[in-house]
Amino acid sequence: MLSRETDIRKGIDWPAVIMYLVLVICGWLSIYGASYDFDQSSIFSFDNRAGKQFVWILTAFMLAGTILLTDYKIYDSLISNFIYIAVMLLLVITIVGGIANLPFVPDIKGSRSWIVLGPVSFQPAELAKIATALAVSRYLSVHRKAFDGRDMIPAMLLLFVPFCLIILQKETGSALVFAAFLLVFYREGMSGLVLLSGVLAVLLFIIIVRFGTVPLQEGASDLGMLTALTILLLIELYHAFFLRKFKRETLWFLAALAVTALGTFAINLWKTVSYNYVLGAFVAASCVYWAIIAYIRHSKITRNITLFIAAALMFCFAADYLFNAVLKPHQQTRIKIVLNMEDDPSGAGYNVAQSKIAIGSGGFAGKGFLNGTQTKLKYVPEQDTDFIFCTVGEEFGFVGAAGLLCLYATLLLRLIHIAERQRDAFNRIYGYCVVSIFFFHLMVNIGMVIGLMPVIGIPLPFFSYGGSSLWAFTVLLFILLRLDASRGDRLR
């Protein structure tokens, strides 16, 4: 199906295409540098990963060209829903195949998330990003008030289904990418409380895990839980006094808090009482108090904040269980290393430690292309996939790493510009889906490589070795460019 309405050569956003080409070519050279041996053959040889990546690059270019020649109208149609359903079924087949130990779903590094058909292997989780972006864009463009009531449930399910299916494949990193769609939801009208809930949950989890072993008084309290509960009280106080101007109600709230604090301190002089449970009970009681105030004052905002605090309180007391019982030992170790609770440079922290050494050894200008010692001696595991950024840092130094980040930032800003200039809701929403996915990958991958985030293993867009990720990012980008090229046709 070809669209004749618009001349693609005139309508396509060439700055975005040029940045795509630069990133793909630089990524290809970095893969060659990361996998280079001193007796290495040509960059085009299939004996090394750079040669194999070259084939993936050529096929990615073919995919991009095919998308640009396809009628843009097919994306905003029921086909988007069919693609989503087909990819979800493919994820189910992958899970079932892994459980049944079928040969086309092999165990690769402890995960059965790849489908291997002869010489070709691909990861359905990468296709799920494309399918979800199309399905979310179509649903939100049709249901313009999706975040006003129950219509929000289907929107959340569109994310929850692939998230759960990919988690079952033991691909935590790929599953977490779907959290990026919450940024799209926020752009399209979702309450900021949802995003705030996510940020607060991460903050509380870190505080409780990091400082939960720091006792303030033997058997009475720990710094982690006490700090987390204090944050909840401060949120209540800020909302009531500064935002809603409930001055009298706030005074009663502070008086009750003072009496509770003094009474608990006095009792502890005689018999040890857990500050954690006392403060937790006070927060629970305050939720009831503010719920009554919300009912009397007919304040919907206060009611929502009260529900928010109640949910956060339950999360605080569940955080320790989630960390110790739900997360696996290697995941716990990675988090502890990031939070400086453990130091394991020869075990779980080896990848990040070597990555930091490689980046630091590059200095300001780097050691030069193919001259990185850490890279050549294979000190950094996965240095041509998840840790490809350390190759850039070692060979091209601060200048090269900063330049790459600037190029990515420029691409993201360009994509935001493209999304904002769309006259059609589907095009705009899809544009923000692409931006959010790219941003999440960049933030997590680079944060992981420099030790600011746990190692969860997601690729760097257009740089990491692998056909599945390159294809997925290429398809995501060029569908947007195809929609943008015909943005004026939809209103004719």
Side-chain angles (χ1 to χ4, degrees):
M1 300 174 64
L2 300 181
S3 177
R4 301 181 183 275
E5 291 89 341
T6 300
D7 186 344
I8 296 299
R9 292 172 297 178
K10 296 180 180 179
I12 193 171
D13 191 86
W14 286 108
V17 173
I18 292 172
M19 284 185 277
Y20 164 78
L21 293 174
V22 171
L23 285 169
V24 169
I25 294 172
C26 290
W28 177 45
L29 294 175
S30 295
I31 291 170
Y32 182 65
S35 58
Y36 178 80
D37 289 324
F38 295 105
D39 58 348
Q40 185 82 18
S41 56
S42 167
I43 192 174
F44 299 101
S45 173
F46 290 161
D47 293 334
N48 59 71
R49 284 194 160 185
K52 297 176 182 177
Q53 185 71 3
F54 180 70
V55 176
W56 290 118
I57 290 173
L58 292 180
T59 54
F61 289 169
M62 293 172 61
L63 268 176
T66 302
I67 291 170
L68 292 179
L69 294 174
T70 302
D71 190 344
Y72 69 91
K73 297 175 184 177
I74 69 171
Y75 301 112
D76 185 9
S77 66
L78 289 176
I79 291 179
S80 297
N81 296 336
F82 291 135
I83 292 174
Y84 179 83
I85 294 171
V87 173
M88 295 306 107
L89 290 175
L90 194 59
L91 290 174
V92 172
I93 291 172
T94 306
I95 295 171
V96 173
I99 295 174
N101 292 321
L102 298 179
F104 66 88
V105 187
D107 188 326
I108 300 178
K109 298 179 182 179
S111 171
R112 292 182 179 270
S113 59
W114 291 78
I115 291 180
V116 179
L117 301 174
V120 179
S121 61
F122 66 96
Q123 194 173 22
E126 297 294 338
L127 300 178
K129 301 172 190 176
I130 305 170
T132 304
L134 291 171
V136 164
S137 301
R138 177 162 176 77
Y139 180 82
L140 295 184
S141 63
V142 173
H143 299 80
R144 300 313 310 281
K145 296 183 178 180
F147 302 107
D148 290 346
R150 296 181 180 179
D151 287 343
M152 186 176 177
I153 296 176
M156 288 297 183
L157 284 176
L158 288 174
L159 308 184
F160 188 70
V161 171
F163 174 83
C164 292
L165 293 176
I166 295 173
I167 283 289
L168 292 175
Q169 296 178 358
K170 300 179 181 180
E171 286 289 341
T172 307
S174 297
L176 290 177
V177 173
F178 290 89
F181 285 94
L182 294 178
L183 296 175
V184 182
F185 288 179
Y186 177 70
R187 169 63 179 80
E188 295 303 314
M190 183 183 71
S191 171
L193 276 177
V194 178
L195 281 183
L196 179 62
S197 299
V199 173
L200 183 62
V202 173
L203 176 63
L204 294 176
F205 184 81
I206 292 174
I207 290 174
I208 292 171
V209 171
R210 177 64 181 86
F211 300 104
T213 56
V214 181
L216 292 180
Q217 181 178 340
E218 189 65 32
S221 179
D222 62 78
L223 181 59
M225 182 62 74
L226 202 62
T227 303
L229 295 176
T230 301
I231 290 174
L232 298 186
L233 289 175
L234 290 175
I235 293 174
E236 288 184 318
L237 179 62
Y238 177 78
H239 166 76
F241 187 79
F242 293 99
L243 295 183
R244 307 305 298 168
K245 307 298 182 182
F246 294 159
K247 296 183 179 180
R248 183 188 304 173
E249 293 84 350
T250 303
L251 289 177
W252 283 111
F253 170 78
L254 291 175
L257 178 61
V259 170
T260 302
L262 292 174
T264 305
F265 179 76
I267 293 174
N268 265 301
L269 296 176
W270 170 60
K271 184 178 180 180
T272 301
V273 176
S274 174
Y275 290 124
N276 291 350
Y277 290 118
V278 171
L279 191 56
F282 181 85
V283 174
S286 70
C287 288
V288 177
Y289 173 72
W290 291 119
I292 295 173
I293 299 300
Y295 177 77
I296 295 173
R297 294 292 192 97
H298 303 287
S299 175
K300 183 178 179 181
I301 297 178
T302 302
R303 183 199 66 190
N304 292 339
I305 290 293
T306 301
L307 293 174
F308 172 78
I309 295 296
L313 176 63
M314 291 187 287
F315 177 80
C316 285
F317 283 95
D320 189 65
Y321 172 82
L322 292 173
F323 182 76
N324 293 297
V326 176
L327 293 181
K328 296 180 180 179
H330 71 277
Q331 294 171 328
Q332 297 175 21
T333 303
R334 289 173 179 175
I335 293 175
K336 288 179 179 179
I337 290 172
V338 171
L339 298 179
N340 290 322
M341 298 172 65
E342 288 185 6
D343 186 17
D344 188 14
S346 61
Y350 178 80
N351 290 25
V352 176
Q354 294 300 322
S355 176
K356 289 180 179 179
I357 293 173
I359 294 174
S361 66
F364 182 75
K367 299 176 180 178
F369 184 53
L370 303 182
N371 292 324
T373 54
Q374 295 294 117
T375 302
K376 301 304 161 289
L377 298 176
K378 313 299 181 186
Y379 280 110
V380 184
E382 311 296 339
Q383 60 188 14
D384 55 2
T385 53
D386 296 340
F387 284 82
I388 188 71
F389 186 74
C390 72
T391 302
V392 179
E394 183 180 25
E395 294 188 344
F396 301 99
F398 172 81
V399 174
L404 178 59
L405 291 178
C406 288
L407 182 58
Y408 273 123
T410 305
L411 177 62
L412 288 177
L413 291 174
R414 187 65 189 178
L415 295 181
I416 292 174
H417 171 71
I418 291 173
E420 282 295 330
R421 73 185 181 191
Q422 301 307 305
R423 304 176 184 179
D424 182 79
F426 176 87
N427 294 12
R428 183 189 68 250
I429 297 168
Y430 180 80
Y432 274 101
C433 287
V434 175
V435 171
S436 299
I437 292 172
F438 281 22
F439 173 74
F440 188 89
H441 272 268
L442 289 170
M443 179 184 66
V444 174
N445 181 277
I446 295 176
M448 172 185 74
V449 170
I450 62 179
L452 295 179
M453 291 190 176
V455 178
I456 60 175
I458 62 174
L460 187 63
F462 308 122
F463 252 72
S464 296
Y465 171 79
S468 295
S469 63
L470 178 60
W471 279 17
F473 290 127
T474 298
V475 171
L476 278 168
L477 175 62
F478 277 85
I479 288 178
L480 174 59
L481 296 181
R482 180 64 187 93
L483 293 171
D484 177 63
S486 301
R487 62 184 179 276
D489 294 341
R490 301 177 69 98
L491 300 180
R492 290 178 183 175

